[in-house]
Amino acid sequence: PDMELHFYHHNKAYLITYSPGAARDTGGLVTLLAKKHYPSNTVISALPLIPGRALRTLITFGDKQQIHYNIHNHNISPTEFTSLSNHLSNDINLAQLNPLNISIIIAGDFNFLSPGDSVLPLSRSQALPDSHSNTSLNTRWNLLLAPFTEIQPLAHSHFNASSDSLSRLDRIYVFAPPWVFTKLKCAGSILSDPILLHSQKISDHA
């Protein structure tokens, strides 16, 4: 109810789904989809897979479906990840059977770097290792995301004050036939400065 009240004034412009955290101090997830990009007969349904950590939103318009996964990869247990992985694998199978009508988008804070990416130090000359990378769950994430295409903005989205560094922990992945991307203009952008947001005590993510 708190999240719905906070975003109430955005209902005219956006389709909105929510997944509050298990406790009030653990945050939650909100997915906003601009109505101007969807036909008037669009129907959405939300399935919180892990409260405040994984939210699946199904968008249906005619014979088309988009499946959005909103992710905050923090304190997800192996059991919870297995459940999430099973849902996503089922959606991948559906999209493979009907690739022109079903697509999948995964976006959020993954709390680890993409393979090959590195942390940008602000006060050092050498790239820092990824402090989040040495977990078996991240290995499972990379395997799960392997069939997807990453849409990566050039700017960094996360500021780590303790190491005075920037990184790209927030990412977007799309599951669609490779030729589709030659017909689309895909881009990602960071709308604010994570250092500024951190200094204002809003967030260390942008």
Side-chain angles (χ1 to χ4, degrees), residues 160-183:
N160 187 327
S162 63
S163 63
D164 194 26
S165 63
L166 294 168
S167 59
R168 284 181 282 259
L169 301 183
D170 307 274
R171 301 193 294 280
I172 302 170
Y173 295 87
V174 179
F175 186 87
W179 62 263
V180 167
F181 296 96
T182 67
K183 306 293 184 181

Side-chain angles (χ1 to χ4, degrees), residues 76-146:
I76 294 179
S77 72
T79 300
E80 290 172 327
F81 183 86
T82 296
S83 175
L84 168 61
S85 177
N86 289 339
H87 275 92
L88 184 55
S89 296
N90 289 337
D91 287 334
I92 290 173
N93 291 336
L94 291 174
Q96 287 175 327
L97 293 173
N98 194 1
L100 297 182
N101 292 320
I102 301 176
S103 59
I104 307 170
I105 298 173
I106 304 177
D109 172 12
F110 287 89
N111 265 321
F112 65 92
L113 297 177
S114 291
D117 200 3
S118 60
V119 173
L120 175 66
L122 298 178
S123 55
R124 300 176 179 84
S125 59
Q126 187 174 4
L128 298 169
D130 177 14
S131 61
H132 301 85
S133 63
N134 297 319
T135 71
S136 59
L137 202 60
N138 293 350
T139 300
R140 294 178 66 184
W141 267 117
N142 284 326
L143 290 172
L144 189 62
L145 295 169

